[in-house]
Amino acid sequence: MPIQLKVEYSPLYELIASLTLYLDKKAPRVTDLGKPWVGKVNACIQPELKQTLSQLMEQTEDAFQDKQIFRYLLMRWAVESPEKGSVDSFLRWLQAQQAEELYERIDWGDLGPLPLDECKSMQEHVLTVVEQWNQQYFQDLDPAILQYLRADAEKKRRLAEKLDPVEVVEQATKGIRVQPIKSTWNLVLIPQYHYAPVNILTEYRNHCIWQYAVELPPEKPEDPPRSLVRLSNCLGDANRLRILRYIAEEPRTFMEIVRYIGLAKSTVNHHLVHLRAAGLVQRDFFVDKRMERHRLREVALDQVGGQLREYLLPDRISSTSRRGEGGQQ
């Protein structure tokens, strides 16, 4: 399969993830940070920025039928920028670009194309919003979070040296399996914290950019990992267990699951979102937009007992690990 895989990290990408999470009215409901995070952000940003973001959300929804045009342009410019090592360097690069050049870079697809004068307006929006968001929220983000993301990106690079790109994407996204394609495609993996446990996809031409979710360790040793809580919630729901049993038999489309489970599409989608977030569902991804299929991600079942034991019996796990190390010496 002609796939080129690259793993990237930059604070700029995490700024984009945090900003677009704020702009996405529905997303906070399914993220670990949740609606309380939105409240904390509202308490630290200035009214002027809050109003600008509110207007931007209205413009995006009215003009582009809920398509995240702002995020799409910002991600496209960020990925293609030679100065994305930091937020400030990216802003300097973007400010120096002619709107006509930025316009020509975009593969508009079904987004428009956006008129050139509106592209210029969006460039000004990006410069203003990103600079203010960085000053009022992002620059105060715990540096340990960015260090953890950088370290995870390095782990994925080492993994990519050993495994097929399809396997690396599957492990990083906890369940997205890219299906065979004829043409060459470029896959980019970028670690992100704000949208966790949700993965974010940006597509254009022959590129798929996955901002994959990274889970940080619990703040307190006695707190369970969020991944374990998600697994417990999924396995404690009868309908979700029925869905898992059904897709364990063979890969199923969304509508097949709807017909089998006998619930509304929105309810089934809600269950699948949580099952994917827990890493229990593997989803076939076709770059040519064919119908997706869902199957049980059996490797997650193998990890359930280990995660539960590691949390409930940490001293016993540590003792066993030390004995193992001693026997190898």
Side-chain angles (χ1 to χ4, degrees):
M1 189 187 318
I3 290 180
Q4 303 294 326
L5 177 64
K6 182 166 57 173
V7 182
E8 293 191 1
Y9 163 79
S10 169
L12 173 64
Y13 291 132
E14 190 58 27
L15 178 145
I16 294 173
S18 66
L19 176 56
T20 52
L21 175 60
Y22 184 87
L23 292 173
D24 190 341
K25 295 179 180 179
K26 298 179 180 179
R29 290 181 290 181
V30 296
T31 62
D32 287 339
L33 292 178
K35 290 185 178 181
W37 175 80
V38 178
K40 292 179 181 178
V41 173
N42 283 332
C44 70
I45 64 175
Q46 298 297 317
E48 293 80 4
L49 176 57
K50 194 182 304 182
Q51 182 178 7
T52 299
L53 294 175
S54 177
Q55 292 173 346
L56 179 59
M57 283 187 278
E58 293 173 2
Q59 290 172 4
T60 300
E61 292 179 359
D62 290 347
F64 303 102
Q65 300 177 351
D66 291 330
K67 294 182 184 297
Q68 292 269 349
I69 186 74
F70 178 86
R71 178 184 175 279
Y72 176 76
L73 292 176
L74 179 52
M75 274 299 295
R76 281 295 310 274
W77 293 334
V79 168
E80 296 186 7
S81 171
E83 302 293 338
K84 56 191 170 191
S86 71
V87 177
D88 290 338
S89 62
F90 168 74
L91 289 174
R92 288 193 295 270
W93 171 83
L94 184 60
Q95 189 169 26
Q97 303 304 301
Q98 295 294 320
E100 291 79 5
E101 296 178 3
L102 295 173
Y103 184 87
E104 292 299 325
R105 290 175 182 265
I106 302 301
D107 176 25
W108 294 100
D110 59 358
L111 290 177
L114 194 69
L116 179 58
D117 59 341
E118 291 191 31
C119 186
K120 292 180 180 178
S121 176
M122 192 61 73
Q123 179 187 12
E124 295 171 359
H125 262 308
V126 168
L127 286 167
T128 300
V129 171
V130 171
E131 182 177 18
Q132 292 183 4
W133 182 262
N134 185 45
Q135 293 173 348
Q136 299 179 32
Y137 168 72
F138 189 74
Q139 69 179 8
D140 294 325
L141 187 69
D142 185 354
I145 295 175
L146 299 179
Q147 293 171 6
Y148 198 85
L149 295 178
R150 183 190 297 273
D152 196 88
E154 185 56 37
K155 290 179 182 177
K156 298 301 184 292
R157 291 191 189 100
R158 292 197 296 268
L159 193 64
E161 296 173 358
K162 304 175 183 178
L163 298 180
D164 181 84
V166 173
E167 294 299 327
V168 179
V169 173
E170 202 282 338
Q171 290 191 29
T173 60
K174 293 182 173 60
I176 295 171
R177 178 164 288 275
V178 180
Q179 293 303 301
I181 48 180
K182 294 181 180 180
S183 58
T184 299
W185 271 74
N186 298 288
L187 302 184
V188 182
L189 286 175
I190 300 171
Q192 58 85 16
Y193 153 77
H194 278 83
Y195 262 86
V198 178
N199 302 302
I200 320 168
L201 172 64
T202 303
E203 295 180 86
Y204 64 94
R205 287 201 298 268
N206 61 339
H207 286 71
C208 285
I209 304 169
W210 291 104
Q211 289 177 274
Y212 66 92
V214 174
E215 180 177 333
L216 272 61
E219 294 183 4
K220 301 177 182 178
E222 63 270 22
D223 291 341
R226 285 174 172 170
S227 58
L228 181 58
V229 174
R230 285 193 289 271
L231 276 169
S232 301
N233 289 338
C234 285
L235 297 177
D237 185 285
N239 284 319
R240 292 174 190 174
L241 286 173
R242 289 177 61 208
I243 291 174
L244 289 175
R245 182 181 174 89
Y246 182 58
I247 64 177
E249 298 173 357
E250 62 180 81
R252 310 285 189 176
T253 66
F254 175 75
M255 286 309 303
E256 286 175 331
I257 298 172
V258 169
R259 287 192 291 269
Y260 169 78
I261 206 72
L263 299 173
K265 293 180 184 178
S266 58
T267 303
V268 173
N269 183 66
H270 173 77
H271 285 316
L272 284 173
V273 166
H274 285 275
L275 289 169
R276 288 198 296 264
L280 291 166
V281 172
Q282 189 177 85
R283 179 162 57 102
D284 292 340
F285 177 77
F286 296 92
V287 295
D288 58 3
K289 307 300 183 184
R290 279 180 284 167
M291 190 173 295
E292 294 180 342
R293 297 173 304 198
H294 303 78
R295 72 185 80 215
L296 177 67
R297 189 169 181 256
E298 294 187 31
V299 67
L301 299 183
D302 299 333
Q303 298 168 352
V304 172
Q307 288 190 45
L308 192 59
R309 182 177 294 275
E310 185 175 351
Y311 173 65
L312 297 178
L313 304 171
D315 295 335
R316 192 175 300 178
I317 295 294
S318 299
S319 176
T320 302
S321 177
R322 287 194 296 270
R323 287 199 300 272
E325 292 173 359
Q328 295 173 355
Q329 293 178 353

